[in-house]
Amino acid sequence: MKSKTSFPPQEGAAPPSRCPDNSAFKQQRLPAWKPQLTIASVLSSFFLTGAFCLTVGVCLVLSANSVREVQIDYSDKCSDCSKLRENSSNWNKECHCSVNFTLKEDILGDVFMYYGLQNFFQNHRRYKMSRSDAQLLGRNVNIQRSYCAPFSTYRNGTPMAPCGAIANSMFNDTIDLFYNHNSSEIQVPLLKTGNSWWTDKNVKFRNPESYNLSSAFAGTARPPYWQKPVYLLDEEDERNNGYVNDDFIIWMRVSAFATFRNLYRRVRRIRHFAEGLPAGNYTFRISYNFPVTRFKGRKHVILSTVVWSGGSNPFLGIAYLVSGTAATLTGFVITGIHLKLRKKKTYFQKQ
C-alpha cells in the first residue's frame, strides 16, 4: 500500500488564492432589474389591485346570489323516527316520514340534491385516519392490521369490509322526491351515479377482482351500523356497488367543518322536469336510518342549482371585496401622507 507524501511549499512561493474567479457570475456583475419604488408606481399598484379585487368580488357575490336554493330541516319533522333510532337495537326496523314543501317559482336548469349534517365532526384525527386505502383499492379485503381499529374485525375474527370509523358511520337515509301535479303524485327521476369525482371513481377506489362481487367479498362482513353488505349498496345497478358506489365514495371524502353538505342526487331532466323543477307542491319521502340525536345534530335536504363560480357560498366574493377595499383605502392613506409631507417640504424650502 503506497502512502501519500506531502511536500512543503517552496520558500517565496505565493499561497493559493481563495478568491472567486473574476467572472460576471461569481463576482455578481450579471445584469439585474432593480425596481425603483416611486410614489407613482406604489400608488398605481395599490389602486390597480384594489380595482381588480373589487371587480372580481362583485362578480362572485352576484353569481352566488343568483343560485336558487331550497333547504329543509327534517330533524324535528321526523321526530318519531328519530326516537326510534336512539335505541341501537332497532337498527333492523324501518321508519318512514314525509316532508311537504312548496316551490313558489320554477328552478330552471340542472338541479342538485344534497344532504346536510350539522354538528357532525369528521375532522377528528382518529376518525379521519380510520380507513384502509389498500382495502379500498381492492388489494386486500381481509385487512387485519390497519388504522381501522376498533372497526376492523368482529370478535369472532371476521374482517369488516369496508373497515374503519368513516365507513361505519356512512349516511344511509334514503330520500325520494315527489311532485304533486293535478291531484296525482309524480316521482321526480333522480340520478344516483356520476356524482363523484373522476379521480375517486377511477383511481382511488377499486373493487376486488373476481367473477362477481359476492364472491369477492366472501369471508367478510358489513360494518356494524350498515343494513346491507357493501356489494348490495345499489340493488338496481350492479356497476354502482362495492367500493365504487357513488354514495360511499362521496362520504369517504371527509369534511373539514362540523356543518357540511354532500351531493346526494341530480334531477334527471326528462318529461315534466326537462327544464328543471316547476313551481308547485312537493313531498320528500325519507327512510330515516341515520341517528343524530346523541350528538345534538341536525339533518337537512337541499335542492340547489350551480353557476360558473359554484354554489351559493358568497365567502370568496366577500373575501375579494374586503381585500380590494383594504388595498384601495391603503392607496388613499399613502396619497394623503405623501401630499402632507410634500407640503411640509415646500414650506421649509421657502423658509
Side-chain angles (χ1 to χ4, degrees), residues 20 64 77 83 99 130 160 175 179 196 213 228 263 292 294 320 328 350:
K77 297 179 180 180
K83 293 179 181 178
V99 179
S130 184
M160 301 180 189
I175 306 172
Y179 173 48
S196 59
L213 280 182
K228 301 177 182 178
L263 181 59
V292 295
R294 291 188 177 183
Y320 268 101
T328 305
K350 290 180 180 180

Coordinates of all heavy atoms in Angstrom, one line a residue, residues 20 64 77 83 99 130 160 175 179 196 213 228 263 292 294 320 328 350:
P20 N -12.9 34.1 -5.5 CA -13.6 33.5 -6.6 C -13.0 34.0 -7.9 O -12.3 35.0 -8.0 CB -15.1 34.0 -6.5 CG -15.2 34.5 -5.0 CD -13.8 34.9 -4.6
A64 N -73.1 34.2 -6.8 CA -73.6 33.4 -5.7 C -75.0 33.7 -5.4 O -75.8 32.8 -5.0 CB -72.7 33.6 -4.5
K77 N -89.3 17.2 12.0 CA -90.4 16.7 11.3 C -90.5 15.2 11.3 O -91.5 14.6 11.0 CB -90.5 17.3 9.9 CG -90.6 18.8 9.9 CD -90.6 19.3 8.5 CE -90.7 20.9 8.5 NZ -90.7 21.4 7.2
K83 N -86.6 9.2 17.5 CA -86.7 8.5 18.8 C -86.5 7.0 18.6 O -85.9 6.4 19.5 CB -88.1 8.7 19.4 CG -88.3 10.2 19.9 CD -89.7 10.4 20.5 CE -89.9 11.8 20.9 NZ -91.2 12.1 21.4
V99 N -92.1 14.9 4.3 CA -92.0 16.4 4.5 C -92.5 17.1 3.2 O -92.0 16.9 2.1 CB -90.5 16.8 4.7 CG1 -90.4 18.3 4.9 CG2 -90.0 16.0 5.9
S130 N -59.1 6.6 10.3 CA -59.7 5.2 10.5 C -60.2 4.7 9.1 O -61.4 4.7 8.9 CB -60.8 5.3 11.5 OG -61.4 4.0 11.7
M160 N -64.1 -6.7 8.6 CA -65.2 -5.9 8.1 C -64.8 -5.3 6.7 O -63.6 -5.0 6.5 CB -65.4 -4.7 9.1 CG -65.9 -5.1 10.4 SD -66.1 -3.6 11.5 CE -66.3 -4.4 13.1
I175 N -83.8 9.2 0.4 CA -84.6 10.4 0.2 C -85.1 10.3 -1.2 O -84.4 10.2 -2.2 CB -83.8 11.7 0.4 CG1 -83.2 11.7 1.8 CG2 -84.7 12.9 0.2 CD1 -82.2 12.9 2.0
Y179 N -93.5 15.0 -7.0 CA -94.2 16.3 -7.4 C -95.7 16.0 -7.5 O -96.2 15.1 -8.1 CB -93.6 16.6 -8.8 CG -94.3 17.8 -9.5 CD1 -94.5 19.0 -8.8 CD2 -94.7 17.7 -10.8 CE1 -95.1 20.0 -9.4 CE2 -95.3 18.8 -11.5 CZ -95.5 19.9 -10.8 OH -96.1 21.0 -11.4
S196 N -69.7 11.5 -8.2 CA -68.4 11.6 -7.5 C -67.3 12.1 -8.5 O -67.5 12.2 -9.7 CB -68.0 10.2 -7.0 OG -68.0 9.3 -8.1
L213 N -69.2 -9.8 -7.3 CA -68.8 -9.1 -6.1 C -69.1 -9.9 -4.9 O -68.4 -9.8 -3.9 CB -69.6 -7.8 -6.0 CG -69.1 -6.6 -6.9 CD1 -69.9 -5.4 -6.6 CD2 -67.6 -6.4 -6.5
K228 N -76.9 -3.2 4.9 CA -76.6 -4.1 3.7 C -75.1 -4.3 3.6 O -74.3 -3.5 4.0 CB -77.1 -3.4 2.4 CG -78.6 -3.1 2.4 CD -78.9 -2.4 1.1 CE -80.4 -2.0 1.0 NZ -80.7 -1.3 -0.2
L263 N -73.2 15.9 -1.9 CA -74.1 15.7 -3.1 C -74.7 14.3 -3.0 O -74.0 13.3 -2.8 CB -73.3 15.8 -4.4 CG -74.1 15.6 -5.7 CD1 -75.2 16.7 -5.8 CD2 -73.1 15.8 -6.9
V292 N -79.0 11.2 14.8 CA -78.3 12.4 15.1 C -78.5 13.0 16.4 O -77.9 14.0 16.9 CB -78.6 13.5 14.0 CG1 -78.1 13.1 12.6 CG2 -80.0 13.8 14.0
R294 N -77.9 11.8 19.5 CA -76.9 11.6 20.6 C -75.9 12.7 20.5 O -75.4 13.1 21.6 CB -76.3 10.3 20.4 CG -77.2 9.1 20.8 CD -76.5 7.8 20.9 NE -77.4 6.7 21.3 CZ -77.0 5.4 21.5 NH1 -75.7 5.1 21.2 NH2 -77.8 4.5 21.9
Y320 N -62.8 38.8 -1.6 CA -62.2 39.7 -2.6 C -62.6 41.1 -2.3 O -61.8 42.1 -2.5 CB -62.7 39.2 -4.0 CG -61.7 38.3 -4.7 CD1 -62.0 36.9 -4.7 CD2 -60.6 38.7 -5.3 CE1 -61.1 36.0 -5.3 CE2 -59.7 37.9 -5.9 CZ -60.0 36.5 -5.9 OH -59.1 35.7 -6.6
T328 N -57.5 49.6 -1.6 CA -57.9 51.0 -2.1 C -57.7 52.0 -1.0 O -57.2 53.1 -1.2 CB -59.4 51.0 -2.6 OG1 -59.5 50.0 -3.6 CG2 -59.7 52.3 -3.1
K350 N -39.2 77.2 1.2 CA -39.4 78.6 1.1 C -38.8 79.4 2.2 O -38.4 80.6 2.1 CB -40.9 78.9 1.1 CG -41.6 78.5 -0.2 CD -43.1 78.7 -0.2 CE -43.7 78.3 -1.5 NZ -45.2 78.6 -1.5

